[in-house]
Amino acid sequence: MACRRSASGALGPICRPPRSTASAAARPRPCLTGHDRCWLVPLPAGRGRGIAIESSFYSIVAQVVEVTVSEEGEVTVDRVICAADVGTVINPAQVIAQMEGSICWGLTTALMSANTLDRGAMRETNFHDFPVQRLQNAPDVHLAALDSDAPPGGAGEPGVIPVAPALANAIFAVTGRQLRSLPLAVTQPVGVRRTRSILPAAEEA
């Protein structure tokens, strides 16, 4: 599992708004150095954008996923923008690393990996038939974590959960298809240790 950094090499800021006794709902939102306005920027044909938000492990995570879907149904995840309220940030670098890894694992679950049973036994035995996200098809990841006065929350699992619904929403924005089971695509080999994700035929979805 790996995530490419943005072209500038930036991992995204840990935003530290002024301390306040305001409620969580009134807290300043994370700043994403311009990426927080991405929803207002139209995308060209063949590209789509989806959003999802969740709350777990005392953290709140929102993600926007941008995808390209080719005419033959190949799905490429171009960018994931993530805003996370994980409470008090003790180790900013660790939060960033956890969220990046969580996003990549979420993409693995959403696009690639499936568990199938054959007479009660698992068919998949190792990574040759249980593919995971690799560097060559990992997206750019932009992260902002809100530093707050709340107790520390989770920074691992909460980053996994919104990926699949945000990705499904992005695919729907491009294709009009509402995919409701995981994985959302079929993984095909395209060379040594390289794969691509293809949407299933409409009658199979």
Side-chain angles (χ1 to χ4, degrees):
M1 299 181 297
C3 283
R4 294 199 305 268
R5 302 188 181 195
S6 63
S8 65
L11 288 172
I14 299 295
C15 300
R16 293 182 172 83
R19 297 292 183 179
S20 168
T21 58
S23 66
R27 291 177 192 160
R29 63 177 181 169
C31 55
L32 281 162
T33 61
H35 297 294
D36 51 343
R37 298 184 181 275
C38 75
W39 197 262
L40 304 177
V41 179
L43 294 174
R47 296 191 62 197
R49 186 182 287 127
I51 191 171
I53 186 171
E54 62 86 24
S55 175
S56 64
F57 297 89
Y58 304 101
S59 296
I60 301 172
V61 179
Q63 293 173 357
V64 173
V65 174
E66 293 182 357
V67 301
T68 298
V69 182
S70 70
E71 292 184 358
E72 63 178 350
E74 181 176 355
V75 178
T76 302
V77 181
D78 302 309
R79 182 168 67 154
V80 178
I81 300 168
C82 176
D85 182 350
V86 298
T88 301
V89 177
I90 298 172
N91 186 333
Q94 188 64 26
V95 171
I96 291 168
Q98 285 282 95
M99 283 291 168
E100 287 187 321
S102 298
I103 288 168
C104 284
W105 186 247
L107 289 174
T108 290
T109 303
L111 282 176
M112 308 176 75
S113 299
N115 295 128
T116 53
L117 294 174
D118 183 7
R119 292 177 293 180
M122 293 295 302
R123 288 182 178 176
E124 294 76 24
T125 59
N126 212 317
F127 290 116
H128 70 283
D129 54 8
F130 188 85
V132 297
Q133 190 84 354
R134 293 179 179 270
L135 183 61
Q136 75 271 3
N137 52 12
D140 289 333
V141 174
H142 303 270
L143 169 67
L146 177 65
D147 185 22
S148 73
D149 292 320
E157 290 87 347
V160 177
I161 300 168
V163 181
L167 177 58
N169 287 335
I171 292 172
F172 173 73
V174 181
T175 67
R177 295 176 58 186
Q178 292 183 313
L179 304 176
R180 302 185 183 278
S181 62
L182 299 179
L184 301 172
V186 177
T187 300
Q188 295 180 349
V190 291
V192 178
R193 297 181 186 151
R194 292 181 178 270
T195 60
R196 66 175 185 168
S197 299
I198 302 292
L199 293 180
E203 61 270 14
E204 299 175 3

